[in-house]
């Protein structure tokens, strides 16, 4: 692929802008400056630099973000800043056009923290967010009131939410502290954790009450701080479709 097209597919602007970046000497390939926009390279995995920032070519983008509190998972947020502002511009602009950039796989509430996946692979997003695929997600809940065994059992047996007479149940639920639960869900209904906790007579704490720690067997890494993102490795992608370890 030409260097100009490599930059274009990775979100560095129009083909013209990308050619300009190369001609002005802003681009390096494997550490060596290249000023020819038509120079050909094997794209997959290519390491290049743009204005001193290192990049690696990815045909499709698969990322994880440690979502901080106080961000909305929307491109057009109403009250809080968008999670997309936490990503570098090329990741937000990949592919160009109306559907440019990566999209979050499902949404977390503004006040929820934790593991969020993003991609520009439509099939992946669909597969991961489709209720049919039952990808288990683990949530750490801090409740406002003490948790007891009766609440745990109700969450496991199923509770009825206001929009559907069919009960929803937790795939796993353990009490992890006086007001703490680890809850594994395989669906992703609107405000599902908050509504399930309310249905058993408790409430998710307003501050720091909900954190997603795992999607499948992929756990949020300890060294990925709130607001940080990283590319998913092949191993991470495999872990997503594997059941999470028992907590
Ligand atoms: N359930 C909720 O209630 N909120 C989230 O952000 C995720 C799951």
């Amino acid at each position: 692929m030409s260097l100009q097209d490599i930059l274009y597919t990775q979100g560095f602007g129009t083909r013209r802008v990308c050619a300009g970046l190369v001609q002005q000497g802003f681009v390096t390939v494997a550490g060596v400056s290249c000023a020819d926009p038509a120079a050909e390279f094997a794209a997959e995995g290519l390491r290049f630099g743009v204005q001193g920032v290192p990049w690696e070519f990815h045909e499709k983008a698969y990322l994880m973000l440690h979502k901080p509190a106080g961000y909305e998972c929307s491109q057009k947020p109403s009250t809080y800043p968008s999670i997309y502002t936490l990503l570098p511009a090329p990741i937000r602009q990949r592919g160009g056009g109306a559907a440019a950039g990566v999209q979050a796989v499902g949404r977390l509430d503004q006040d929820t923290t934790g593991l969020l996946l993003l991609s520009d692979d439509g099939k992946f997003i669909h597969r991961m967010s489709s209720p049919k695929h039952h990808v288990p997600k683990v949530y750490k809940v801090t409740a406002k009131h003490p948790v007891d065994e009766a609440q745990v059992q109700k969450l496991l047996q199923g509770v009825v939410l206001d929009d559907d007479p069919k009960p929803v149940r937790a795939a796993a639920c353990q009490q992890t502290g006086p007001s703490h639960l680890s809850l594994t869900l395989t669906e992703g209904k609107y405000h599902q954790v908050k509504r399930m906790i309310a249905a058993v007579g408790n409430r998710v704490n307003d501050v720091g009450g909900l954190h997603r720690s795992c999607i499948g067997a992929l756990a949020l890494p300890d060294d990925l701080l709130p607001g940080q993102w990283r590319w998913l490795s092949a191993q991470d992608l495999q872990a997503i479709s594997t059941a999470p370890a028992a907590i």
Side-chain angles (χ1 to χ4, degrees), residues 57-172:
F57 181 95
H58 292 263
E59 186 171 355
K60 291 282 178 199
Y62 305 96
L63 319 175
M64 63 167 108
L65 171 74
H66 184 160
K67 182 194 171 293
Y71 282 81
E72 289 182 33
C73 290
S74 167
Q75 298 277 5
K76 292 185 182 151
S78 58
T79 311
Y80 297 89
S82 163
I83 50 149
Y84 296 98
T85 62
L86 298 167
L87 303 173
I91 303 266
R92 299 200 308 266
Q93 292 160 14
R94 286 171 64 90
V102 295
Q103 310 294 323
V105 178
R107 289 184 177 201
L108 292 176
D109 296 335
Q110 164 281 121
D111 50 353
T112 302
T113 58
L115 180 58
L116 186 69
L117 303 180
L118 299 109
S119 180
D120 60 356
D121 177 347
K123 282 196 188 130
F124 172 80
I125 296 176
H126 177 72
R127 192 171 70 242
M128 290 300 299
S129 38
S130 156
K132 273 192 225 148
H133 287 88
H134 300 296
V135 180
K137 299 178 181 93
V138 181
Y139 293 91
K140 305 286 179 200
V141 178
T142 305
K144 200 156 185 167
H145 310 293
V147 167
D148 59 31
E149 186 54 25
Q151 291 174 15
V152 171
Q153 289 310 317
K154 277 189 203 158
L155 291 164
L156 285 168
Q157 278 153 23
V159 294
V160 174
L161 304 179
D162 44 15
D163 59 348
D164 192 348
K166 202 171 147 243
V168 285
R169 55 180 60 86

Side-chain angles (χ1 to χ4, degrees), residues 107-112 139 185 189-195 210 212:
R107 289 184 177 201
L108 292 176
D109 296 335
Q110 164 281 121
D111 50 353
T112 302
Y139 293 91
L185 301 184
K189 286 171 177 275
Y190 180 67
H191 289 333
Q192 185 166 341
V193 175
K194 290 177 182 165
R195 291 159 71 211
L210 191 53
R212 184 157 71 192

